[in-house]
Amino acid sequence: MKNSAPLLIEETNLSRAWASAFLHIIDNPGKEISPLLITLTGFTNGIPDEDRAIREALDNCLVANNKQKVHTVANTIFPSSLWRRSKYDRNRLFEMYLNALPRYKALASSKNRRGIYFERLIAFGSGPENGNQLEYIISQYKSRPGVRKSMFQAAIFDPARDHVPSAQLPFPCLQHVSFVPQDKDKTLTINAFYATQQIFEKAYGNYLGLCRLGDFMAHEMGLTLDRMNCFVGVAKLDTIPKSHHSLTALTNVARNALEATTDKQITGGI
């Protein structure tokens, strides 16, 4: 299969979902998948199942290439550590985050100067609830039964700020998220759309951050996170060559993990 063909990856493990997309690019011509759809289930108390070996190998490779680790990327979408520190009080979480926002931006000024994803979700700059889109969704859902599902969506991309002629624009790649409650099952699905996504340095952290955001919203809506869907217009590996020596160990770990899973599935079916 060419990388220019659509690719659907359905998994119950976040690490294997990422590894499948990564190896697809490594093993096929070109450096892009267009489009890519990741659909992920497999959560334990709202936390996505992962493969420790893949996660550690990726983090080691990211550090070796002066890139942010998975957890740091995930925090740009949802600050899980701050959520715990707020003792799971969402109003306190929002307050603490906005108070700390100048410091977060200063920690990575070149990456965060145009904004951070969670900032856009809770302080978009316009709209109800003073631009806090997550609070609006939660409060509307809890206010009455039968709220239209098209209401449960939040924008990241803002034409007023983001339609600029820059040759490279690192933010925002994530354009939009939506939440789909299934009241009968008391579950929640989170959907996300990326115009582009960097498979090596961002994608794993993106998936993890989206799952954490989905778990937060499910918690506040009285539901359980059931699925994360991520649609990517163009998933690419263009900041590092496929043949780069630092990718060798990561590629081997990812391949071994997927092959071991396939062997178990075959054995179980016999």
Side-chain angles (χ1 to χ4, degrees):
M1 181 184 291
K2 296 181 179 179
N3 280 335
S4 58
L7 178 64
L8 167 64
I9 297 173
E10 186 170 7
E11 256 292 354
T12 58
N13 182 287
L14 188 156
S15 306
R16 294 199 302 264
W18 174 84
S20 296
F22 172 70
L23 291 176
H24 186 88
I25 289 183
I26 293 294
D27 293 340
N28 288 280
K31 301 181 73 175
E32 296 182 350
I33 303 170
S34 181
L36 168 66
L37 174 59
I38 301 288
T39 181
L40 179 69
T41 55
F43 299 93
T44 303
N45 297 321
I47 305 301
D49 295 337
E50 300 184 69
D51 183 306
R52 182 180 297 275
I54 295 175
R55 171 82 175 265
E56 289 182 352
L58 175 57
D59 270 338
N60 291 338
C61 193
L62 289 168
V63 170
N65 286 279
N66 298 312
K67 304 297 184 182
Q68 294 176 322
K69 296 177 75 172
V70 165
H71 177 71
T72 302
V73 174
N75 265 355
T76 64
I77 298 175
F78 185 76
S80 58
S81 299
L82 204 61
W83 176 226
R84 290 191 294 272
R85 285 175 52 198
S86 72
K87 297 183 179 180
Y88 308 104
D89 179 331
R90 73 172 185 270
N91 293 317
R92 180 64 178 148
L93 167 67
F94 299 148
E95 179 185 6
M96 291 172 65
Y97 185 87
L98 293 176
N99 288 339
L101 185 59
R103 180 168 59 86
Y104 294 153
K105 289 188 174 182
L107 288 173
S109 56
S110 61
K111 294 179 181 293
N112 297 336
R113 62 184 176 83
R114 304 193 70 258
I116 303 175
Y117 292 114
F118 194 66
E119 175 194 6
R120 290 275 178 103
L121 290 170
I122 68 169
F124 189 79
S126 61
E129 300 289 349
N130 294 316
N132 189 330
Q133 301 178 85
L134 301 185
E135 180 61 32
Y136 179 74
I137 291 168
I138 294 165
S139 61
Q140 288 297 309
Y141 177 76
K142 297 175 73 173
S143 67
R144 61 196 186 279
V147 179
R148 58 180 171 83
K149 291 183 177 179
S150 62
M151 187 179 292
F152 308 137
Q153 54 183 310
I156 306 294
F157 184 86
D158 180 4
R161 287 175 281 184
D162 302 322
H163 268 156
V164 296
S166 304
Q168 297 290 331
L169 200 66
F171 175 91
C173 295
L174 172 60
Q175 309 290 295
H176 186 88
V177 294
S178 70
F179 305 93
V180 183
Q182 302 293 345
D183 295 331
K184 181 179 179 180
D185 300 327
K186 294 296 181 181
T187 60
L188 183 73
T189 295
I190 179 172
N191 302 306
F193 174 79
Y194 282 79
T196 63
Q197 186 179 68
Q198 294 288 350
I199 285 291
F200 169 59
E201 61 184 276
K202 298 290 187 181
Y204 195 118
N206 292 161
Y207 305 153
L208 181 58
L210 290 168
C211 290
R212 290 173 174 175
L213 175 62
D215 180 50
F216 163 74
M217 293 297 286
H219 178 274
E220 294 304 295
M221 296 166 76
L223 305 171
T224 300
L225 180 62
D226 181 63
R227 184 180 294 270
M228 186 278 291
N229 297 315
C230 183
F231 179 89
V232 184
V234 181
K236 53 188 180 179
L237 186 76
D238 65 359
T239 60
I240 187 171
K242 287 197 212 180
S243 59
H244 197 275
H245 64 87
S246 68
L247 294 182
T248 301
L250 173 61
T251 300
N252 289 338
V253 169
R255 200 180 304 282
N256 290 339
L258 292 187
E259 289 176 353
T261 301
T262 301
D263 289 343
K264 287 180 181 179
Q265 291 173 341
I266 292 174
T267 301
I270 293 176

